[in-house]
């Protein structure tokens, strides 16, 4: 009775990046649930580093690899109708494996503890299909934040479209985390939980994580999204 | 009785402090149960998920739930593992997960600007919470202490339950659900 929700050829392509999570909601009366905003926190870098590529494991081309469990983070940015949001900037930042953020207010006093090889901050512009990717570490807890998390922003032309965080699904610290619990709606919490799964056949225990971000666009933003 | 009054009063003080300190209010545009959007109820959350019940038969299948981000929730809610989630199953799960429980968990912690104060948004302490979660973390309680604190919390919850009337309990529940900004200033 109902038409298939997935276009099989599209799905095969998406499969290369990681399991697609969202079908085109053309059959749904409802719009997609938006990724909820969460606090930016105090450690968005006060000095944007020289290297802001999407590989946080290595600073520059020849740096020593940072400590931590290697994680390949991929995903998409979509609007509430399921259309890809192209050419927007995704930024992520997180503390290093020793729980130190790049921001000088944290790395200053904790300089001895800091993993100086961790880039700490990265950027990626979404493709025509709204896709982004990063290589980073699986996040670790931070004092006062039992839920390991990665901060992110989605920006267009230097304007924030969304600031939020995502957490590790299943981590026992989530239940005790004040920021996570600030999402009063439990459905919202589901939208910022990400699975970190082992990469098949990886000899070095790499993980993969897939995270779809759904944002609401104002009419003028939506226009710009159509044009590009 | 005194101890409980003290705990509630301390909660009110901390709540008031949270109103005065800088708290970012992201307030997304989507008001459906979002932070700025008013009281979150189990019914509201069930409605959000059951919007995906395409044939409106009161049972959700994974096929109907086209948003894969909700599949983990589906699996947790499908208590009898029959491949369907009913409204009752989902409501039961959400009620359980919402309860500010003995694990000192879902109430959220509050940090009066602790070292490095990471993040302005810890949320207010729950009325009746003996030690806000953030303080538990800050004090680095041992496992044994956490267990004792959980037991103390259970005791407080049980005694509070006995001493309040049904109406008062309803009001308290509403206050907890209202979240930040829902706390009246402490009496002068």
């Amino acid at each position: 009775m109902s038409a298939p929700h997935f276009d099989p050829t599209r799905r095969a392509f998406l499969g290369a990046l990681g399991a697609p999570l969202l079908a085109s909601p053309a059959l749904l009366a409802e719009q997609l649930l938006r990724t909820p905003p969460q606090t930016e926190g105090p450690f968005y870098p006060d000095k944007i580093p020289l290297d802001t590529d999407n590989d946080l494991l290595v600073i520059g081309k020849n740096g020593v690899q940072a400590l931590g469990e290697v994680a390949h983070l991929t995903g998409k940015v979509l609007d509430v109708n399921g259309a890809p949001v192209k050419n927007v900037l995704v930024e992520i930042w997180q503390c290093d494996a020793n729980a130190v953020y790049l921001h000088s207010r944290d790395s200053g006093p904790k300089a001895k503890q800091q993993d100086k090889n961790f880039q700490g901050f990265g950027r990626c512009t979404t493709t025509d299909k709204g896709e982004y990717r990063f290589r980073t570490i699986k996040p670790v807890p931070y004092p006062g934040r039992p839920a390991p998390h990665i901060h992110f922003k989605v920006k267009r032309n230097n304007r924030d479209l969304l600031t939020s965080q995502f957490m590790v699904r299943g981590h026992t610290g989530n239940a005790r985390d004040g920021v996570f619990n600030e999402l009063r709606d439990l459905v919202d919490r589901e939208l910022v939980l990400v699975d970190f799964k082992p990469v098949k056949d990886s000899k070095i225990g790499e993980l993969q994580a897939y995270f779809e971000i759904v944002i609401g666009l104002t009419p003028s933003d939506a226009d710009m999204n159509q044009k590009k | 009785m005194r101890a409980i009054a003290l705990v509630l009063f301390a909660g009110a003080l901390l709540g008031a402090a949270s109103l005065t300190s800088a708290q970012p209010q992201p307030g997304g545009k989507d008001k459906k149960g979002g932070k700025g959007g008013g009281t979150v109820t189990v019914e509201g959350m069930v409605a959000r998920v059951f919007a995906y019940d395409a044939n409106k038969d009161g049972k959700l299948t994974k096929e109907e739930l086209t948003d894969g981000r909700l599949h983990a929730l589906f699996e947790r809610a499908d208590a009898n593992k029959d491949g369907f989630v009913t409204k009752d199953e989902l409501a039961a799960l959400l009620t359980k997960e919402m309860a500010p429980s003995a694990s000192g968990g879902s109430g959220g912690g509050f940090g009066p600007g602790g070292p490095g104060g990471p993040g302005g948004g810890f949320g207010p302490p729950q009325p009746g919470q003996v030690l806000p979660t953030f303080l538990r973390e800050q004090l680095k309680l041992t496992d044994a202490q956490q267990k004792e604190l959980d037991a103390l919390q259970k005791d407080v919850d049980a005694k509070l339950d006995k001493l309040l009337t049904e109406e008062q309990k309803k009001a308290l529940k509403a206050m907890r659900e209202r979240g930040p900004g829902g706390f009246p200033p402490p009496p002068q």
Side-chain angles (χ1 to χ4, degrees), chain A:
Chain A
M1 180 161 88
S2 49
H5 292 185
F6 289 99
D7 171 2
T9 56
R10 176 165 158 263
R11 186 170 196 186
F13 173 77
L14 290 173
L17 292 174
L21 296 176
L22 295 170
S24 157
L27 298 169
L28 293 175
E30 290 285 323
Q31 296 184 323
L32 292 178
L33 300 176
R34 289 175 214 216
T35 304
Q38 293 181 86
T39 181
E40 178 181 302
F43 294 137
Y44 182 82
D46 49 347
K47 262 197 328 193
I48 301 294
L50 280 176
D51 186 3
T52 58
D53 66 6
N54 61 350
D55 185 355
L56 278 70
L57 286 179
V58 173
I59 299 179
K61 297 282 180 219
N62 301 311
V64 171
Q65 183 167 308
L67 300 168
E69 293 181 83
V70 175
H72 298 271
L73 170 66
T74 58
K76 286 168 129 187
V77 181
L78 303 168
D79 70 16
V80 293
N81 299 311
V85 182
K86 324 166 206 192
N87 251 308
V88 288
L89 189 63
V90 178
E91 294 181 329
I92 64 169
W93 70 103
Q94 63 189 105
C95 65
D96 63 28
N98 297 332
V100 183
Y101 276 92
L102 196 60
H103 192 293
S104 60
R105 214 182 308 131
D106 204 38
S107 56
K110 286 147 87 175
K112 292 211 172 104
Q113 194 182 322
Q114 185 188 22
D115 176 7
K116 306 254 182 326
N117 296 311
F118 186 59
Q119 188 173 299
F121 173 85
R123 289 176 162 156
C124 185
T125 302
T126 58
T127 64
D128 270 359
K129 300 195 162 51
E131 296 149 356
Y132 69 87
R133 72 187 316 133
F134 290 93
R135 197 172 73 124
T136 184
I137 61 171
K138 186 179 181 194
V140 299
Y142 181 91
R145 290 294 313 272
H149 56 282
I150 293 180
H151 296 264
F152 68 93
K153 280 186 187 279
V154 180
K155 294 173 149 169
R156 167 176 276 138
N157 298 334
N158 251 323
R159 193 163 52 86
D160 284 4
L161 297 179
L162 176 67
T163 298
S164 194
Q165 313 179 13
F166 64 89
M167 286 69 176
V168 177
R169 171 162 278 125
H171 196 279
T172 54
N174 297 342
R176 292 178 278 125
D177 188 86
V179 172
F180 187 60
N181 284 290
E182 226 182 21
L183 293 175
R184 314 301 285 181
D185 189 317
L186 300 183
V187 177
D188 278 345
R189 292 183 198 174
E190 296 297 313
L191 303 177
V192 295
L193 284 172
V194 172
D195 291 299
F196 281 74
K197 301 186 192 153
V199 169
K200 198 168 163 238
D201 298 333
S202 165
K203 296 207 170 76
I204 51 175
E206 295 162 279
L207 304 166
Q208 69 185 22
Y210 187 73
F211 180 50
E212 268 164 355
I213 303 168
V214 176
I215 57 175
L217 296 175
T218 61
S220 57
D221 278 331
D223 257 356
M224 287 175 70
N225 197 38
Q226 302 283 341
K227 282 174 190 156
K228 288 202 178 186

